[in-house]
Amino acid sequence: MSSSPATLSSPKTAWRWLRRGLLALLLLALVLAILAWALLRASLPQLNGRVTLPGLQAPLSLARDDLGTVIVQGENRLDLARGLGFVHAQERFFEMDLTRRSAAGELSALFGAVALERDKQRRMHRMRERMQERLAQLPAADRALLEAYASGVNAGLAALRLRPWQYLLLRAEPEPWAAADSALVVIEMFWMLQGTGIDTGFERAQLRAKTGDALFDWLNPRGGRWDAALDGSQLQPPAMPTPEQLDLRQASAKVAQAALPQIATLQASADEQAVIGSNNWAVAGRRSEHGGALLADDMHLGLGVPSIWFRTQLQIPSSGGRPEQRTAGLSLPGMPSIVVGSNGAVAWGFTNAYGQWFDWIQLPANAAPERLKTYTQTIAIKGQAAVKLELQEFDGAPVLREQDGQRYALRWIAHQGEAVNLELDRMLLARHVDEALGIAQRSGMPHQNIVIADSRGQIAWTVAGRLWSQQGLAKSYARIQSADEPAHSWTSPADYPLIKNPKNGQLWTANNRQLGGAAAELIADGGFDLGARAQQIRDRLSEKPKHDEASLMALHLDNEARFMQTWGQRLLKLATASPQHAEAAELLRRWNGRADAEQAGYRLIRAARLKTLDTLWLAWTEPFVGKQQRDEKQAIKWRSSFEYPASQALDQQPAHLLPPAFASWDALLLAQLDAAAQEMRESGKQTLAEASWGQRNHSKIQHVLSKAIPPLAYFLDMPGMDQGGDSNLPHVAAPAFGQSQRLVVSPGREAQATLSMPGGQSGHPMSPFYGAGHGPWARGEATPLLAGKPLHQLDALP
C-alpha cells in the first residue's frame, strides 16, 4: 500500500528535513568561517625567517619584542628606511593608504560616493600636485631617503601572501607607494593639527565683523588668569561691554531670547571643542634626583585601532671607529623618521602650536585675470563614473568660501614649499640641545612646541616647523586680510623664539600661549587653549624641588580638577542656600575635587558649566549674528577663552548682560544645575549619585571599519571602560580622544624610560601585536621605551 500524503508530511519527516537543512547551513557556515580564517591568515605579516629586500646595501635585522616594537638594525640610514618601510607596509599599509588618500582627496576611489564631498573639499587644495612639486625641490639625499622607504613599503606589500585583509572586505586592490605619498602623510598631519583652527579662524573673523572690535575682544580674549606663559607674561582682560554696546534688557533682545529657558533645560550638554594638542614638560639636570635632564610628552589626538604611532627602535652598530647609533621612540607609518623619542644624547617631544599659520583673503570684486588661475581635478569614484571638479586659485591660494556674494581664498603655510621637508630626521644624530634646536627650527612640519632635553642636563623650548613673517596681532587676530597685503616671507631660524635653560629649571607647554610682547608677534594667535592644563603642570613641577621618572609619569595621570574646583565652589554656594537643591548640594559637598571615573559630582559641575557657557554665548551673540546661532551646523561656537568673560559676568552680575529669561544671575546658574542634573538622571534612568563621570566618559576606541560595519566591533575594537580625566587638566581623556602616547625619558638613561600607547601596534587582528600595550595604557601602567628581548627575528638580505 502506498503512503498517503499525510504520511509523507508527518512531523517526523519534517523534523528530519529540518535537521538536514540546519546541518547544511552549519556546514556552510563552517566552510565560510574556515575560508575567512584562511584568507585572513594569508595576509599576516612575516615575523621570522629570511626575506630578500631589493636595494639593500648590507644585511638588515628586523626583530620584534613582546609589544611588537620593531628593532631595525642595519649599516646605514638608507637601509634602515628601507627596512622600516617593509615593516610599516606589512603591519599598517591600509592605514597608510587612508592617510595619503585623505590628504589628497582620493578616498572615493576606495569607498565610493560616500566620501565624495570630503574629497571635493580636499581637492580644492591640489595637495598631490603640490607635494609632487615639493619632492622635486628636496635635496638629493632627502629624495633618496623617501625613495628607499617607498621601495621598502612596496617590497613589504608584495611579500604578503595575500593583499591586506581590509582590501578583501572592500573588494579593492592596494596601489603602490610613491615617494610623494610620504609628503602627503605630513600634509594629513597639517590637516589634523591645523584644519579646525583654519575654519574657526574664518568664523571668528566673521563674528568680529558683526559685533565690532570691543565686544569681540571681550568675548574672545587672548588670555587671563589661567595663563601659564613660559616667560611669565600676563594679559590684561578686555573691558566688559557697556549697556551702550550690549544691553539684553532692550525690547529687541528680549524678543530674540524668549526661548532661552527651554534651550537651557532641554538641550543636551554640548561638549567643549576638543583641542588637538598635547602636554610636554621637562626639568633640567639640577632639578632631577639623578642629575640628568628629564622629558615627558603626551600628544592628544583622536584614538583608534591600531594606534596612529608605531613603536620603533633604529640602530646602526659601532664599526671601524663609528659609534653605535640608537634612537627609540615612535614612528608614523608612511614616513621613515622617528617623530618623538630619544637617541641617547637628546630627547624631544611635541605639543601643537596654535600660531597664525593661515590667512583668509577677501577677493576684490574685479580681480585681475592674471591673479586667478583655474584647474580641473578628476575624482575617481568606486562603482561609478569619475567626477570633474573645477577650482580657482588667487595668487596660488585656493578660493574656498563665498558668503553674501563675497569670495574668500585661503593662504595656508602648508601650501608653501618649505613647509614640508625631512629635516626632523636629522634628530637621529643630534648630540646636544643647540643642535636639536637648529634642526627643529629648520624642520618642515606642522608647527609644534618642541621641548628638548639632553644628556648634559640642558633643556630648551622653541617652535618646530617653518615660521613665516607675521603682520602683527593687531592686524591678524581674527581678521580677514586684504588681497593687497604683501606675501609672507620665511623667518630665519636665528630669529625664532626660544627659551634655553630657564632659571627655574623647568619648561612646560599645553597648547597655551607661550610668550608675550614682541616675541608673541613671531607666532601670533591661531586659537590658543585656555591654559588651565599648562598652569597645573607648571605648578606640579614647582611643588617638588627634584623629580625622577616616576614623578613625571604620575603627572601624565593627574586627575585633580583645579580649574573645575572654581565652578564647584560657585555652584555649591548656591545649591546649599536653596532647599530644593539639597540632593545636588550633597553631591557637590562629597566631590573629591578630581575628575575620577567614579565621581558623579565632577560630572554635575562640568555639565552645569557647559550649559552656562552655552546659554551666555547664545544670549550675547544672537543679537548680532541672528538665528544662525540656533542652528547647530551654522552656529559660531564659543572657544575655550570664553571662560573669562563668562566668569567675569557671573562674578560681577551686571544687569545689562543677564539674559532676560532669568530673574537673576543666581536663577540662571540654578537653572543650568537643574538641567545638568535632569540630563544625568535620564542618561541611565538612575539617581544623581549613580551617574558617574566614568559612565559619561566611557572609552570607545574603534577600528575605522567597525565604524562603518558595526558587527565588526566585537572583533576589532578595544574593550571599553569607565575612565577618569578630562580636557582642562593634565590627564586628558575623552571616549575616543586623549593621550595617544605617554613618554618619560632622561637622555642617556633610556633603560629607565617609559613609553605607553593605546590601540596596539599591528593593524592585523590575528597578529600577536594587535592591541598590544593597550591594556597597560588604559590602566595607567608604564611600559618600557626600549625594546625588550626579541621574540621574533626576520633577516633581510640584499
Side-chain angles (χ1 to χ4, degrees), residues 105-139:
E106 298 170 353
L107 289 168
S108 297
L110 193 61
F111 294 108
V114 67
L116 181 58
E117 289 307 311
R118 188 178 192 278
D119 278 355
K120 285 181 178 180
Q121 294 172 10
R122 294 292 175 92
R123 285 296 183 95
M124 299 294 287
H125 299 261
R126 297 192 308 111
M127 284 304 190
R128 180 168 288 283
E129 290 87 341
R130 293 180 192 272
M131 291 306 102
Q132 288 170 340
E133 293 170 4
R134 181 58 184 145
L135 179 65
Q137 298 166 355
L138 290 175

mmCIF file of all heavy atoms in Angstrom, residues 105-139:
data_model
loop_
_atom_site.group_PDB
_atom_site.id
_atom_site.type_symbol
_atom_site.label_atom_id
_atom_site.label_comp_id
_atom_site.label_asym_id
_atom_site.label_seq_id
_atom_site.Cartn_x
_atom_site.Cartn_y
_atom_site.Cartn_z
ATOM 1 N N GLY A 105 42.578 63.822 -1.102
ATOM 2 C CA GLY A 105 41.198 63.809 -1.569
ATOM 3 C C GLY A 105 40.942 62.673 -2.537
ATOM 4 O O GLY A 105 40.362 62.876 -3.609
ATOM 5 N N GLU A 106 41.326 61.469 -2.162
ATOM 6 C CA GLU A 106 41.219 60.307 -3.049
ATOM 7 C C GLU A 106 40.521 59.127 -2.380
ATOM 8 O O GLU A 106 40.690 57.983 -2.794
ATOM 9 C CB GLU A 106 42.615 59.898 -3.527
ATOM 10 C CG GLU A 106 43.314 60.987 -4.335
ATOM 11 C CD GLU A 106 44.787 60.685 -4.595
ATOM 12 O OE1 GLU A 106 45.283 59.682 -4.033
ATOM 13 O OE2 GLU A 106 45.435 61.451 -5.323
ATOM 14 N N LEU A 107 39.721 59.383 -1.356
ATOM 15 C CA LEU A 107 39.047 58.303 -0.644
ATOM 16 C C LEU A 107 37.901 57.698 -1.452
ATOM 17 O O LEU A 107 37.570 56.518 -1.281
ATOM 18 C CB LEU A 107 38.517 58.808 0.699
ATOM 19 C CG LEU A 107 39.581 59.113 1.763
ATOM 20 C CD1 LEU A 107 38.961 59.863 2.927
ATOM 21 C CD2 LEU A 107 40.252 57.833 2.244
ATOM 22 N N SER A 108 37.291 58.466 -2.336
ATOM 23 C CA SER A 108 36.147 57.960 -3.108
ATOM 24 C C SER A 108 36.530 56.772 -3.978
ATOM 25 O O SER A 108 35.696 55.900 -4.249
ATOM 26 C CB SER A 108 35.576 59.069 -3.987
ATOM 27 O OG SER A 108 35.081 60.129 -3.218
ATOM 28 N N ALA A 109 37.767 56.722 -4.419
ATOM 29 C CA ALA A 109 38.205 55.599 -5.258
ATOM 30 C C ALA A 109 38.193 54.297 -4.478
ATOM 31 O O ALA A 109 38.088 53.215 -5.057
ATOM 32 C CB ALA A 109 39.604 55.869 -5.804
ATOM 33 N N LEU A 110 38.250 54.394 -3.152
ATOM 34 C CA LEU A 110 38.264 53.202 -2.307
ATOM 35 C C LEU A 110 36.901 52.918 -1.695
ATOM 36 O O LEU A 110 36.471 51.772 -1.605
ATOM 37 C CB LEU A 110 39.307 53.375 -1.203
ATOM 38 C CG LEU A 110 39.702 52.144 -0.381
ATOM 39 C CD1 LEU A 110 40.296 51.067 -1.271
ATOM 40 C CD2 LEU A 110 40.707 52.538 0.700
ATOM 41 N N PHE A 111 36.171 53.981 -1.301
ATOM 42 C CA PHE A 111 34.916 53.809 -0.565
ATOM 43 C C PHE A 111 33.673 54.180 -1.357
ATOM 44 O O PHE A 111 32.554 53.953 -0.894
ATOM 45 C CB PHE A 111 34.950 54.639 0.712
ATOM 46 C CG PHE A 111 35.981 54.182 1.707
ATOM 47 C CD1 PHE A 111 37.123 54.925 1.934
ATOM 48 C CD2 PHE A 111 35.818 53.002 2.405
ATOM 49 C CE1 PHE A 111 38.081 54.515 2.843
ATOM 50 C CE2 PHE A 111 36.764 52.578 3.322
ATOM 51 C CZ PHE A 111 37.901 53.333 3.541
ATOM 52 N N GLY A 112 33.840 54.788 -2.508
ATOM 53 C CA GLY A 112 32.684 55.160 -3.305
ATOM 54 C C GLY A 112 32.193 56.558 -2.998
ATOM 55 O O GLY A 112 32.858 57.367 -2.342
ATOM 56 N N ALA A 113 30.967 56.843 -3.462
ATOM 57 C CA ALA A 113 30.420 58.197 -3.403
ATOM 58 C C ALA A 113 30.246 58.716 -1.986
ATOM 59 O O ALA A 113 30.113 59.932 -1.786
ATOM 60 C CB ALA A 113 29.078 58.241 -4.138
ATOM 61 N N VAL A 114 30.237 57.838 -0.976
ATOM 62 C CA VAL A 114 30.064 58.288 0.407
ATOM 63 C C VAL A 114 31.179 59.247 0.818
ATOM 64 O O VAL A 114 30.996 60.084 1.710
ATOM 65 C CB VAL A 114 30.011 57.068 1.361
ATOM 66 C CG1 VAL A 114 31.345 56.346 1.410
ATOM 67 C CG2 VAL A 114 29.591 57.492 2.754
ATOM 68 N N ALA A 115 32.338 59.168 0.167
ATOM 69 C CA ALA A 115 33.468 60.031 0.515
ATOM 70 C C ALA A 115 33.636 61.199 -0.451
ATOM 71 O O ALA A 115 34.593 61.962 -0.335
ATOM 72 C CB ALA A 115 34.757 59.205 0.540
ATOM 73 N N LEU A 116 32.700 61.371 -1.383
ATOM 74 C CA LEU A 116 32.891 62.341 -2.461
ATOM 75 C C LEU A 116 32.955 63.776 -1.950
ATOM 76 O O LEU A 116 33.826 64.547 -2.369
ATOM 77 C CB LEU A 116 31.784 62.193 -3.506
ATOM 78 C CG LEU A 116 31.878 63.133 -4.712
ATOM 79 C CD1 LEU A 116 33.210 62.943 -5.436
ATOM 80 C CD2 LEU A 116 30.707 62.888 -5.665
ATOM 81 N N GLU A 117 32.042 64.174 -1.070
ATOM 82 C CA GLU A 117 32.038 65.559 -0.610
ATOM 83 C C GLU A 117 33.327 65.911 0.124
ATOM 84 O O GLU A 117 33.869 67.012 -0.031
ATOM 85 C CB GLU A 117 30.819 65.829 0.268
ATOM 86 C CG GLU A 117 29.507 65.873 -0.490
ATOM 87 C CD GLU A 117 29.542 66.851 -1.659
ATOM 88 O OE1 GLU A 117 29.969 68.004 -1.440
ATOM 89 O OE2 GLU A 117 29.155 66.466 -2.772
ATOM 90 N N ARG A 118 33.803 64.972 0.916
ATOM 91 C CA ARG A 118 35.068 65.215 1.619
ATOM 92 C C ARG A 118 36.210 65.329 0.626
ATOM 93 O O ARG A 118 37.086 66.191 0.764
ATOM 94 C CB ARG A 118 35.332 64.085 2.603
ATOM 95 C CG ARG A 118 36.518 64.337 3.533
ATOM 96 C CD ARG A 118 36.651 63.168 4.498
ATOM 97 N NE ARG A 118 37.581 63.478 5.569
ATOM 98 C CZ ARG A 118 38.895 63.379 5.460
ATOM 99 N NH1 ARG A 118 39.444 63.021 4.310
ATOM 100 N NH2 ARG A 118 39.686 63.656 6.495
ATOM 101 N N ASP A 119 36.231 64.457 -0.375
ATOM 102 C CA ASP A 119 37.272 64.527 -1.398
ATOM 103 C C ASP A 119 37.245 65.861 -2.127
ATOM 104 O O ASP A 119 38.287 66.440 -2.434
ATOM 105 C CB ASP A 119 37.111 63.385 -2.405
ATOM 106 C CG ASP A 119 37.722 62.080 -1.911
ATOM 107 O OD1 ASP A 119 38.356 62.085 -0.840
ATOM 108 O OD2 ASP A 119 37.564 61.057 -2.595
ATOM 109 N N LYS A 120 36.047 66.348 -2.425
ATOM 110 C CA LYS A 120 35.944 67.634 -3.123
ATOM 111 C C LYS A 120 36.581 68.753 -2.299
ATOM 112 O O LYS A 120 37.286 69.623 -2.839
ATOM 113 C CB LYS A 120 34.480 67.967 -3.413
ATOM 114 C CG LYS A 120 33.861 67.158 -4.546
ATOM 115 C CD LYS A 120 32.409 67.584 -4.779
ATOM 116 C CE LYS A 120 31.789 66.832 -5.946
ATOM 117 N NZ LYS A 120 30.370 67.239 -6.175
ATOM 118 N N GLN A 121 36.341 68.733 -0.997
ATOM 119 C CA GLN A 121 36.914 69.767 -0.141
ATOM 120 C C GLN A 121 38.443 69.709 -0.159
ATOM 121 O O GLN A 121 39.116 70.739 -0.240
ATOM 122 C CB GLN A 121 36.401 69.600 1.283
ATOM 123 C CG GLN A 121 34.912 69.857 1.430
ATOM 124 C CD GLN A 121 34.397 69.492 2.811
ATOM 125 O OE1 GLN A 121 35.167 69.216 3.724
ATOM 126 N NE2 GLN A 121 33.081 69.478 2.971
ATOM 127 N N ARG A 122 38.980 68.504 -0.100
ATOM 128 C CA ARG A 122 40.435 68.359 -0.082
ATOM 129 C C ARG A 122 41.051 68.658 -1.461
ATOM 130 O O ARG A 122 42.154 69.215 -1.537
ATOM 131 C CB ARG A 122 40.810 66.952 0.374
ATOM 132 C CG ARG A 122 40.446 66.651 1.830
ATOM 133 C CD ARG A 122 41.294 67.470 2.784
ATOM 134 N NE ARG A 122 40.916 67.321 4.180
ATOM 135 C CZ ARG A 122 41.445 66.435 5.019
ATOM 136 N NH1 ARG A 122 42.353 65.570 4.568
ATOM 137 N NH2 ARG A 122 41.075 66.386 6.282
ATOM 138 N N ARG A 123 40.361 68.292 -2.521
ATOM 139 C CA ARG A 123 40.906 68.526 -3.859
ATOM 140 C C ARG A 123 41.070 70.006 -4.170
ATOM 141 O O ARG A 123 41.861 70.385 -5.035
ATOM 142 C CB ARG A 123 40.013 67.875 -4.911
ATOM 143 C CG ARG A 123 40.130 66.367 -5.013
ATOM 144 C CD ARG A 123 41.519 65.935 -5.467
ATOM 145 N NE ARG A 123 41.572 64.500 -5.621
ATOM 146 C CZ ARG A 123 41.380 63.857 -6.776
ATOM 147 N NH1 ARG A 123 41.137 64.536 -7.884
ATOM 148 N NH2 ARG A 123 41.443 62.549 -6.818
ATOM 149 N N MET A 124 40.304 70.839 -3.492
ATOM 150 C CA MET A 124 40.423 72.279 -3.724
ATOM 151 C C MET A 124 41.843 72.771 -3.454
ATOM 152 O O MET A 124 42.256 73.828 -3.951
ATOM 153 C CB MET A 124 39.435 73.040 -2.849
ATOM 154 C CG MET A 124 37.965 72.713 -3.096
ATOM 155 S SD MET A 124 37.394 73.218 -4.718
ATOM 156 C CE MET A 124 37.326 74.994 -4.514
ATOM 157 N N HIS A 125 42.602 72.005 -2.680
ATOM 158 C CA HIS A 125 43.961 72.417 -2.301
ATOM 159 C C HIS A 125 45.042 71.819 -3.202
ATOM 160 O O HIS A 125 46.214 72.176 -3.045
ATOM 161 C CB HIS A 125 44.226 72.025 -0.848
ATOM 162 C CG HIS A 125 43.296 72.674 0.128
ATOM 163 N ND1 HIS A 125 43.633 73.785 0.861
ATOM 164 C CD2 HIS A 125 42.017 72.373 0.480
ATOM 165 C CE1 HIS A 125 42.619 74.141 1.628
ATOM 166 N NE2 HIS A 125 41.626 73.299 1.415
ATOM 167 N N ARG A 126 44.704 70.890 -4.068
ATOM 168 C CA ARG A 126 45.654 70.270 -5.011
ATOM 169 C C ARG A 126 46.913 69.773 -4.294
ATOM 170 O O ARG A 126 48.036 69.970 -4.754
ATOM 171 C CB ARG A 126 46.041 71.252 -6.110
ATOM 172 C CG ARG A 126 44.925 71.714 -7.015
ATOM 173 C CD ARG A 126 45.431 72.464 -8.247
ATOM 174 N NE ARG A 126 46.337 73.531 -7.898
ATOM 175 C CZ ARG A 126 47.646 73.539 -8.159
ATOM 176 N NH1 ARG A 126 48.215 72.503 -8.778
ATOM 177 N NH2 ARG A 126 48.398 74.569 -7.809
ATOM 178 N N MET A 127 46.727 69.082 -3.189
ATOM 179 C CA MET A 127 47.883 68.687 -2.395
ATOM 180 C C MET A 127 48.762 67.643 -3.086
ATOM 181 O O MET A 127 49.982 67.658 -2.915
ATOM 182 C CB MET A 127 47.436 68.194 -1.023
ATOM 183 C CG MET A 127 47.034 69.308 -0.067
ATOM 184 S SD MET A 127 48.353 70.531 0.152
ATOM 185 C CE MET A 127 47.697 71.487 1.530
ATOM 186 N N ARG A 128 48.195 66.740 -3.853
ATOM 187 C CA ARG A 128 49.057 65.770 -4.540
ATOM 188 C C ARG A 128 49.988 66.488 -5.515
ATOM 189 O O ARG A 128 51.197 66.207 -5.547
ATOM 190 C CB ARG A 128 48.245 64.692 -5.246
ATOM 191 C CG ARG A 128 49.147 63.674 -5.966
ATOM 192 C CD ARG A 128 48.427 62.440 -6.430
ATOM 193 N NE ARG A 128 48.047 61.555 -5.338
ATOM 194 C CZ ARG A 128 48.889 60.743 -4.699
ATOM 195 N NH1 ARG A 128 50.193 60.729 -5.008
ATOM 196 N NH2 ARG A 128 48.450 59.948 -3.744
ATOM 197 N N GLU A 129 49.457 67.405 -6.283
ATOM 198 C CA GLU A 129 50.307 68.137 -7.227
ATOM 199 C C GLU A 129 51.361 68.963 -6.488
ATOM 200 O O GLU A 129 52.533 69.001 -6.888
ATOM 201 C CB GLU A 129 49.454 69.057 -8.110
ATOM 202 C CG GLU A 129 48.573 68.338 -9.108
ATOM 203 C CD GLU A 129 47.226 67.935 -8.547
ATOM 204 O OE1 GLU A 129 47.087 67.885 -7.298
ATOM 205 O OE2 GLU A 129 46.311 67.680 -9.342
ATOM 206 N N ARG A 130 50.945 69.603 -5.416
ATOM 207 C CA ARG A 130 51.894 70.419 -4.652
ATOM 208 C C ARG A 130 53.020 69.567 -4.075
ATOM 209 O O ARG A 130 54.186 69.978 -4.066
ATOM 210 C CB ARG A 130 51.173 71.166 -3.527
ATOM 211 C CG ARG A 130 50.193 72.242 -3.997
ATOM 212 C CD ARG A 130 49.538 72.918 -2.796
ATOM 213 N NE ARG A 130 48.400 73.741 -3.161
ATOM 214 C CZ ARG A 130 48.468 75.020 -3.509
ATOM 215 N NH1 ARG A 130 49.640 75.617 -3.541
ATOM 216 N NH2 ARG A 130 47.364 75.701 -3.815
ATOM 217 N N MET A 131 52.688 68.373 -3.563
ATOM 218 C CA MET A 131 53.715 67.529 -2.961
ATOM 219 C C MET A 131 54.621 66.893 -4.011
ATOM 220 O O MET A 131 55.805 66.646 -3.740
ATOM 221 C CB MET A 131 53.073 66.453 -2.080
ATOM 222 C CG MET A 131 52.435 67.011 -0.812
ATOM 223 S SD MET A 131 53.573 68.034 0.193
ATOM 224 C CE MET A 131 53.045 69.705 -0.241
ATOM 225 N N GLN A 132 54.108 66.639 -5.184
ATOM 226 C CA GLN A 132 54.977 66.173 -6.255
ATOM 227 C C GLN A 132 55.977 67.254 -6.645
ATOM 228 O O GLN A 132 57.158 66.970 -6.890
ATOM 229 C CB GLN A 132 54.134 65.738 -7.455
ATOM 230 C CG GLN A 132 53.392 64.427 -7.219
ATOM 231 C CD GLN A 132 52.381 64.112 -8.302
ATOM 232 O OE1 GLN A 132 51.942 64.992 -9.052
ATOM 233 N NE2 GLN A 132 51.999 62.849 -8.392
ATOM 234 N N GLU A 133 55.518 68.498 -6.670
ATOM 235 C CA GLU A 133 56.436 69.610 -6.931
ATOM 236 C C GLU A 133 57.453 69.745 -5.801
ATOM 237 O O GLU A 133 58.643 69.999 -6.046
ATOM 238 C CB GLU A 133 55.645 70.905 -7.073
ATOM 239 C CG GLU A 133 54.748 70.963 -8.310
ATOM 240 C CD GLU A 133 53.812 72.164 -8.284
ATOM 241 O OE1 GLU A 133 53.926 72.981 -7.336
ATOM 242 O OE2 GLU A 133 52.973 72.283 -9.196
ATOM 243 N N ARG A 134 56.967 69.589 -4.558
ATOM 244 C CA ARG A 134 57.863 69.717 -3.418
ATOM 245 C C ARG A 134 58.924 68.628 -3.426
ATOM 246 O O ARG A 134 60.094 68.874 -3.089
ATOM 247 C CB ARG A 134 57.056 69.653 -2.121
ATOM 248 C CG ARG A 134 57.897 69.798 -0.859
ATOM 249 C CD ARG A 134 58.660 71.095 -0.861
ATOM 250 N NE ARG A 134 59.551 71.235 0.278
ATOM 251 C CZ ARG A 134 60.723 71.839 0.229
ATOM 252 N NH1 ARG A 134 61.171 72.347 -0.914
ATOM 253 N NH2 ARG A 134 61.487 71.954 1.298
ATOM 254 N N LEU A 135 58.570 67.415 -3.816
ATOM 255 C CA LEU A 135 59.522 66.312 -3.865
ATOM 256 C C LEU A 135 60.693 66.657 -4.770
ATOM 257 O O LEU A 135 61.858 66.389 -4.441
ATOM 258 C CB LEU A 135 58.822 65.042 -4.348
ATOM 259 C CG LEU A 135 59.698 63.790 -4.468
ATOM 260 C CD1 LEU A 135 60.197 63.349 -3.098
ATOM 261 C CD2 LEU A 135 58.911 62.657 -5.131
ATOM 262 N N ALA A 136 60.399 67.260 -5.908
ATOM 263 C CA ALA A 136 61.461 67.618 -6.859
ATOM 264 C C ALA A 136 62.385 68.689 -6.302
ATOM 265 O O ALA A 136 63.537 68.815 -6.745
ATOM 266 C CB ALA A 136 60.831 68.094 -8.166
ATOM 267 N N GLN A 137 61.914 69.465 -5.312
ATOM 268 C CA GLN A 137 62.718 70.550 -4.744
ATOM 269 C C GLN A 137 63.604 70.098 -3.590
ATOM 270 O O GLN A 137 64.511 70.826 -3.174
ATOM 271 C CB GLN A 137 61.790 71.664 -4.245
ATOM 272 C CG GLN A 137 60.943 72.302 -5.330
ATOM 273 C CD GLN A 137 59.804 73.135 -4.758
ATOM 274 O OE1 GLN A 137 59.589 73.166 -3.542
ATOM 275 N NE2 GLN A 137 59.057 73.798 -5.622
ATOM 276 N N LEU A 138 63.352 68.917 -3.039
ATOM 277 C CA LEU A 138 64.112 68.447 -1.880
ATOM 278 C C LEU A 138 65.552 68.132 -2.265
ATOM 279 O O LEU A 138 65.845 67.787 -3.417
ATOM 280 C CB LEU A 138 63.466 67.193 -1.297
ATOM 281 C CG LEU A 138 62.120 67.347 -0.599
ATOM 282 C CD1 LEU A 138 61.581 65.982 -0.185
ATOM 283 C CD2 LEU A 138 62.229 68.257 0.619
ATOM 284 N N PRO A 139 66.471 68.227 -1.304
ATOM 285 C CA PRO A 139 67.849 67.816 -1.578
ATOM 286 C C PRO A 139 67.904 66.355 -2.015
ATOM 287 O O PRO A 139 67.056 65.538 -1.629
ATOM 288 C CB PRO A 139 68.553 68.020 -0.233
ATOM 289 C CG PRO A 139 67.698 68.995 0.513
ATOM 290 C CD PRO A 139 66.294 68.750 0.063
#
